[in-house]
Short mmCIF file of all heavy atoms in Angstrom, two decimals:
data_model
loop_
_atom_site.label_atom_id
_atom_site.label_comp_id
_atom_site.label_asym_id
_atom_site.label_seq_id
_atom_site.Cartn_x
_atom_site.Cartn_y
_atom_site.Cartn_z
N LYS A 230 -17.12 -7.20 -44.43
CA LYS A 230 -17.42 -6.40 -43.24
C LYS A 230 -18.59 -7.01 -42.47
O LYS A 230 -18.54 -7.13 -41.23
CB LYS A 230 -17.76 -4.97 -43.65
CG LYS A 230 -18.03 -4.06 -42.46
CD LYS A 230 -18.36 -2.65 -42.92
CE LYS A 230 -18.67 -1.75 -41.75
NZ LYS A 230 -19.03 -0.38 -42.17
N GLU A 231 -19.63 -7.43 -43.18
CA GLU A 231 -20.79 -8.06 -42.54
C GLU A 231 -20.38 -9.36 -41.87
O GLU A 231 -20.84 -9.68 -40.76
CB GLU A 231 -21.89 -8.31 -43.57
CG GLU A 231 -22.55 -7.03 -44.08
CD GLU A 231 -23.58 -7.32 -45.16
OE1 GLU A 231 -23.77 -8.52 -45.50
OE2 GLU A 231 -24.21 -6.36 -45.67
N ARG A 232 -19.50 -10.12 -42.55
CA ARG A 232 -19.04 -11.39 -41.99
C ARG A 232 -18.26 -11.16 -40.69
O ARG A 232 -18.47 -11.86 -39.70
CB ARG A 232 -18.17 -12.13 -43.00
CG ARG A 232 -17.78 -13.55 -42.57
CD ARG A 232 -16.72 -14.12 -43.47
NE ARG A 232 -15.47 -13.39 -43.31
CZ ARG A 232 -14.64 -13.56 -42.27
NH1 ARG A 232 -14.94 -14.43 -41.31
NH2 ARG A 232 -13.52 -12.88 -42.19
N ARG A 233 -17.35 -10.15 -40.72
CA ARG A 233 -16.56 -9.85 -39.53
C ARG A 233 -17.45 -9.37 -38.38
O ARG A 233 -17.27 -9.77 -37.23
CB ARG A 233 -15.52 -8.78 -39.84
CG ARG A 233 -14.35 -9.27 -40.69
CD ARG A 233 -13.18 -8.30 -40.57
NE ARG A 233 -13.57 -6.93 -40.88
CZ ARG A 233 -13.51 -6.39 -42.10
NH1 ARG A 233 -13.06 -7.12 -43.13
NH2 ARG A 233 -13.86 -5.14 -42.30
N GLU A 234 -18.41 -8.52 -38.69
CA GLU A 234 -19.30 -8.01 -37.66
C GLU A 234 -20.14 -9.12 -37.05
O GLU A 234 -20.35 -9.16 -35.84
CB GLU A 234 -20.20 -6.92 -38.24
CG GLU A 234 -19.46 -5.62 -38.56
CD GLU A 234 -20.37 -4.59 -39.20
OE1 GLU A 234 -21.50 -4.96 -39.60
OE2 GLU A 234 -19.96 -3.41 -39.31
N ALA A 235 -20.60 -10.04 -37.92
CA ALA A 235 -21.38 -11.18 -37.42
C ALA A 235 -20.52 -12.08 -36.54
O ALA A 235 -20.98 -12.55 -35.48
CB ALA A 235 -21.94 -11.97 -38.59
N GLN A 236 -19.25 -12.29 -36.96
CA GLN A 236 -18.35 -13.11 -36.17
C GLN A 236 -18.05 -12.46 -34.82
O GLN A 236 -18.04 -13.13 -33.78
CB GLN A 236 -17.04 -13.33 -36.95
CG GLN A 236 -15.99 -14.16 -36.22
CD GLN A 236 -16.44 -15.59 -35.98
OE1 GLN A 236 -17.29 -16.08 -36.72
NE2 GLN A 236 -15.90 -16.24 -34.97
N GLU A 237 -17.81 -11.14 -34.84
CA GLU A 237 -17.55 -10.41 -33.60
C GLU A 237 -18.76 -10.46 -32.67
O GLU A 237 -18.61 -10.61 -31.45
CB GLU A 237 -17.19 -8.96 -33.91
CG GLU A 237 -15.82 -8.80 -34.57
CD GLU A 237 -15.57 -7.39 -35.03
OE1 GLU A 237 -16.48 -6.54 -34.87
OE2 GLU A 237 -14.48 -7.12 -35.57
N LYS A 238 -19.95 -10.37 -33.25
CA LYS A 238 -21.16 -10.44 -32.44
C LYS A 238 -21.31 -11.81 -31.80
O LYS A 238 -21.65 -11.93 -30.61
CB LYS A 238 -22.39 -10.14 -33.30
CG LYS A 238 -23.69 -10.10 -32.53
CD LYS A 238 -24.85 -9.71 -33.41
CE LYS A 238 -26.15 -9.66 -32.61
NZ LYS A 238 -27.31 -9.29 -33.47
N ARG A 239 -21.01 -12.87 -32.58
CA ARG A 239 -21.08 -14.22 -32.02
C ARG A 239 -20.07 -14.40 -30.89
O ARG A 239 -20.36 -15.03 -29.88
CB ARG A 239 -20.84 -15.26 -33.13
CG ARG A 239 -22.01 -15.42 -34.10
CD ARG A 239 -21.84 -16.68 -34.95
NE ARG A 239 -20.68 -16.58 -35.82
CZ ARG A 239 -20.70 -16.08 -37.05
NH1 ARG A 239 -21.84 -15.61 -37.54
NH2 ARG A 239 -19.61 -16.04 -37.78
N GLU A 240 -18.86 -13.82 -31.08
CA GLU A 240 -17.83 -13.92 -30.05
C GLU A 240 -18.25 -13.21 -28.77
O GLU A 240 -18.04 -13.72 -27.67
CB GLU A 240 -16.51 -13.33 -30.57
CG GLU A 240 -15.79 -14.20 -31.58
CD GLU A 240 -15.35 -15.52 -30.98
OE1 GLU A 240 -14.88 -15.52 -29.83
OE2 GLU A 240 -15.48 -16.55 -31.65
N ARG A 241 -18.86 -12.02 -28.93
CA ARG A 241 -19.31 -11.27 -27.75
C ARG A 241 -20.40 -12.03 -27.01
O ARG A 241 -20.40 -12.10 -25.78
CB ARG A 241 -19.83 -9.89 -28.17
CG ARG A 241 -18.74 -8.91 -28.55
CD ARG A 241 -19.28 -7.48 -28.57
NE ARG A 241 -20.34 -7.31 -29.54
CZ ARG A 241 -20.16 -6.97 -30.81
NH1 ARG A 241 -18.93 -6.78 -31.27
NH2 ARG A 241 -21.19 -6.81 -31.62
N VAL A 242 -21.32 -12.61 -27.77
CA VAL A 242 -22.40 -13.38 -27.15
C VAL A 242 -21.84 -14.59 -26.42
O VAL A 242 -22.25 -14.90 -25.29
CB VAL A 242 -23.43 -13.81 -28.21
CG1 VAL A 242 -24.44 -14.80 -27.61
CG2 VAL A 242 -24.17 -12.60 -28.77
N ARG A 243 -20.86 -15.26 -27.07
CA ARG A 243 -20.24 -16.43 -26.43
C ARG A 243 -19.53 -16.04 -25.14
O ARG A 243 -19.66 -16.72 -24.12
CB ARG A 243 -19.25 -17.08 -27.40
CG ARG A 243 -18.58 -18.33 -26.84
CD ARG A 243 -17.56 -18.89 -27.83
NE ARG A 243 -16.49 -17.96 -28.09
CZ ARG A 243 -15.46 -17.74 -27.26
NH1 ARG A 243 -15.38 -18.43 -26.11
NH2 ARG A 243 -14.52 -16.89 -27.56
N GLU A 244 -18.76 -14.93 -25.18
CA GLU A 244 -18.05 -14.48 -24.00
C GLU A 244 -19.01 -14.09 -22.88
O GLU A 244 -18.77 -14.38 -21.71
CB GLU A 244 -17.15 -13.29 -24.36
CG GLU A 244 -15.97 -13.67 -25.24
CD GLU A 244 -15.20 -12.46 -25.73
OE1 GLU A 244 -15.61 -11.32 -25.40
OE2 GLU A 244 -14.21 -12.64 -26.46
N GLN A 245 -20.11 -13.41 -23.26
CA GLN A 245 -21.11 -13.03 -22.26
C GLN A 245 -21.75 -14.26 -21.62
O GLN A 245 -21.97 -14.30 -20.41
CB GLN A 245 -22.18 -12.15 -22.91
CG GLN A 245 -21.67 -10.76 -23.29
CD GLN A 245 -22.67 -9.97 -24.11
OE1 GLN A 245 -23.70 -10.49 -24.52
NE2 GLN A 245 -22.35 -8.72 -24.37
N ASN A 246 -22.04 -15.26 -22.46
CA ASN A 246 -22.63 -16.49 -21.93
C ASN A 246 -21.67 -17.21 -20.99
O ASN A 246 -22.07 -17.73 -19.94
CB ASN A 246 -23.03 -17.41 -23.08
CG ASN A 246 -24.24 -16.90 -23.85
OD1 ASN A 246 -25.01 -16.09 -23.33
ND2 ASN A 246 -24.40 -17.34 -25.08
N GLU A 247 -20.38 -17.23 -21.37
CA GLU A 247 -19.39 -17.86 -20.51
C GLU A 247 -19.26 -17.12 -19.19
O GLU A 247 -19.15 -17.74 -18.12
CB GLU A 247 -18.04 -17.90 -21.22
CG GLU A 247 -17.97 -18.89 -22.38
CD GLU A 247 -16.61 -18.89 -23.05
OE1 GLU A 247 -15.78 -18.02 -22.70
OE2 GLU A 247 -16.38 -19.73 -23.92
N LEU A 248 -19.27 -15.78 -19.27
CA LEU A 248 -19.18 -14.97 -18.05
C LEU A 248 -20.38 -15.21 -17.14
O LEU A 248 -20.23 -15.34 -15.92
CB LEU A 248 -19.08 -13.49 -18.42
CG LEU A 248 -18.96 -12.50 -17.25
CD1 LEU A 248 -17.72 -12.81 -16.42
CD2 LEU A 248 -18.92 -11.08 -17.75
N LEU A 249 -21.56 -15.26 -17.74
CA LEU A 249 -22.77 -15.52 -16.94
C LEU A 249 -22.70 -16.90 -16.29
O LEU A 249 -23.11 -17.07 -15.13
CB LEU A 249 -24.02 -15.42 -17.83
CG LEU A 249 -24.41 -14.00 -18.27
CD1 LEU A 249 -25.53 -14.07 -19.30
CD2 LEU A 249 -24.83 -13.16 -17.08
N LEU A 250 -22.18 -17.87 -17.03
CA LEU A 250 -22.04 -19.22 -16.49
C LEU A 250 -21.07 -19.22 -15.31
O LEU A 250 -21.36 -19.80 -14.25
CB LEU A 250 -21.55 -20.17 -17.58
CG LEU A 250 -21.31 -21.63 -17.15
CD1 LEU A 250 -22.60 -22.25 -16.64
CD2 LEU A 250 -20.73 -22.44 -18.30
N ILE A 251 -19.92 -18.56 -15.49
CA ILE A 251 -18.92 -18.49 -14.42
C ILE A 251 -19.49 -17.78 -13.20
O ILE A 251 -19.31 -18.24 -12.06
CB ILE A 251 -17.66 -17.77 -14.92
CG1 ILE A 251 -16.95 -18.63 -15.99
CG2 ILE A 251 -16.70 -17.48 -13.77
CD1 ILE A 251 -15.84 -17.91 -16.71
N GLN A 252 -20.18 -16.67 -13.44
CA GLN A 252 -20.78 -15.93 -12.34
C GLN A 252 -21.83 -16.77 -11.62
O GLN A 252 -21.92 -16.74 -10.39
CB GLN A 252 -21.39 -14.63 -12.85
CG GLN A 252 -20.37 -13.60 -13.30
CD GLN A 252 -21.01 -12.38 -13.92
OE1 GLN A 252 -22.14 -12.42 -14.40
NE2 GLN A 252 -20.29 -11.26 -13.90
N GLY A 253 -22.60 -17.51 -12.41
CA GLY A 253 -23.63 -18.36 -11.81
C GLY A 253 -23.03 -19.45 -10.96
O GLY A 253 -23.49 -19.71 -9.84
N VAL A 254 -21.98 -20.08 -11.48
CA VAL A 254 -21.31 -21.15 -10.73
C VAL A 254 -20.67 -20.56 -9.46
O VAL A 254 -20.77 -21.14 -8.37
CB VAL A 254 -20.24 -21.83 -11.59
CG1 VAL A 254 -19.39 -22.78 -10.76
CG2 VAL A 254 -20.90 -22.59 -12.74
N GLY A 255 -20.01 -19.39 -9.62
CA GLY A 255 -19.39 -18.74 -8.47
C GLY A 255 -20.41 -18.38 -7.40
O GLY A 255 -20.17 -18.58 -6.20
N ALA A 256 -21.56 -17.86 -7.84
CA ALA A 256 -22.61 -17.49 -6.89
C ALA A 256 -23.15 -18.73 -6.17
O ALA A 256 -23.40 -18.70 -4.96
CB ALA A 256 -23.74 -16.77 -7.61
N ALA A 257 -23.29 -19.82 -6.93
CA ALA A 257 -23.80 -21.05 -6.33
C ALA A 257 -22.83 -21.58 -5.27
O ALA A 257 -23.23 -21.99 -4.18
CB ALA A 257 -24.03 -22.10 -7.41
N ILE A 258 -21.52 -21.53 -5.59
CA ILE A 258 -20.51 -22.00 -4.64
C ILE A 258 -20.51 -21.11 -3.40
O ILE A 258 -20.45 -21.59 -2.26
CB ILE A 258 -19.12 -22.01 -5.30
CG1 ILE A 258 -19.08 -23.09 -6.40
CG2 ILE A 258 -18.03 -22.27 -4.26
CD1 ILE A 258 -17.82 -23.07 -7.22
N ALA A 259 -20.55 -19.77 -3.64
CA ALA A 259 -20.53 -18.83 -2.52
C ALA A 259 -21.75 -19.01 -1.62
O ALA A 259 -21.63 -19.00 -0.38
CB ALA A 259 -20.47 -17.40 -3.05
N LEU A 260 -22.92 -19.18 -2.23
CA LEU A 260 -24.13 -19.37 -1.44
C LEU A 260 -24.08 -20.69 -0.67
O LEU A 260 -24.53 -20.78 0.47
CB LEU A 260 -25.36 -19.34 -2.35
CG LEU A 260 -25.70 -17.96 -2.93
CD1 LEU A 260 -26.81 -18.08 -3.98
CD2 LEU A 260 -26.12 -16.99 -1.83
N GLY A 261 -23.49 -21.70 -1.33
CA GLY A 261 -23.35 -22.99 -0.64
C GLY A 261 -22.44 -22.87 0.57
O GLY A 261 -22.73 -23.41 1.64
N GLU A 262 -21.32 -22.14 0.41
CA GLU A 262 -20.41 -21.94 1.53
C GLU A 262 -21.07 -21.11 2.64
O GLU A 262 -20.84 -21.35 3.82
CB GLU A 262 -19.14 -21.24 1.05
CG GLU A 262 -18.25 -22.12 0.18
CD GLU A 262 -16.98 -21.41 -0.23
OE1 GLU A 262 -16.87 -20.19 0.04
OE2 GLU A 262 -16.10 -22.05 -0.82
N ALA A 263 -21.87 -20.13 2.23
CA ALA A 263 -22.51 -19.24 3.21
C ALA A 263 -23.50 -19.99 4.10
O ALA A 263 -23.85 -19.50 5.18
CB ALA A 263 -23.22 -18.10 2.49
N LEU A 264 -23.93 -21.15 3.65
CA LEU A 264 -24.89 -21.93 4.44
C LEU A 264 -24.21 -22.81 5.48
O LEU A 264 -24.88 -23.42 6.31
CB LEU A 264 -25.74 -22.81 3.50
CG LEU A 264 -26.66 -22.08 2.53
CD1 LEU A 264 -27.31 -23.06 1.56
CD2 LEU A 264 -27.74 -21.30 3.29
N THR A 265 -22.88 -22.87 5.44
CA THR A 265 -22.16 -23.76 6.35
C THR A 265 -21.84 -23.08 7.68
O THR A 265 -21.65 -21.86 7.74
CB THR A 265 -20.85 -24.24 5.72
OG1 THR A 265 -20.00 -23.10 5.51
CG2 THR A 265 -21.10 -24.92 4.37
N PRO A 266 -21.74 -23.83 8.75
CA PRO A 266 -21.35 -23.26 10.06
C PRO A 266 -19.95 -22.66 10.02
O PRO A 266 -19.67 -21.68 10.72
CB PRO A 266 -21.41 -24.47 11.00
CG PRO A 266 -22.30 -25.46 10.32
CD PRO A 266 -22.08 -25.26 8.85
N GLU A 267 -19.07 -23.25 9.20
CA GLU A 267 -17.69 -22.75 9.09
C GLU A 267 -17.67 -21.32 8.55
O GLU A 267 -16.89 -20.48 9.02
CB GLU A 267 -16.86 -23.66 8.19
CG GLU A 267 -16.59 -25.05 8.74
CD GLU A 267 -17.76 -26.01 8.53
OE1 GLU A 267 -18.75 -25.61 7.87
OE2 GLU A 267 -17.67 -27.15 9.02
#
């Protein structure tokens, strides 16, 4: 049970980190586009 909980916690942390990375990249792209005349 402890092993499964630890594994699930690692998976959640990994997914959260991936989501933050995607959001950060998306925000950077959006901000870059927002600076263009187009």
Side-chain angles (χ1 to χ4, degrees):
K230 182 180 178 182
E231 290 177 0
R232 187 191 67 77
R233 287 198 306 269
E234 289 177 348
Q236 179 65 24
E237 290 173 358
K238 184 177 181 180
R239 287 194 295 270
E240 286 296 319
R241 286 196 299 271
V242 171
R243 181 182 62 78
E244 291 173 359
Q245 290 171 354
N246 289 339
E247 289 180 353
L248 180 59
L249 288 172
L250 178 61
I251 293 170
Q252 290 175 337
V254 171
I258 293 173
L260 289 171
E262 290 182 352
L264 295 173
T265 63
E267 292 81 5

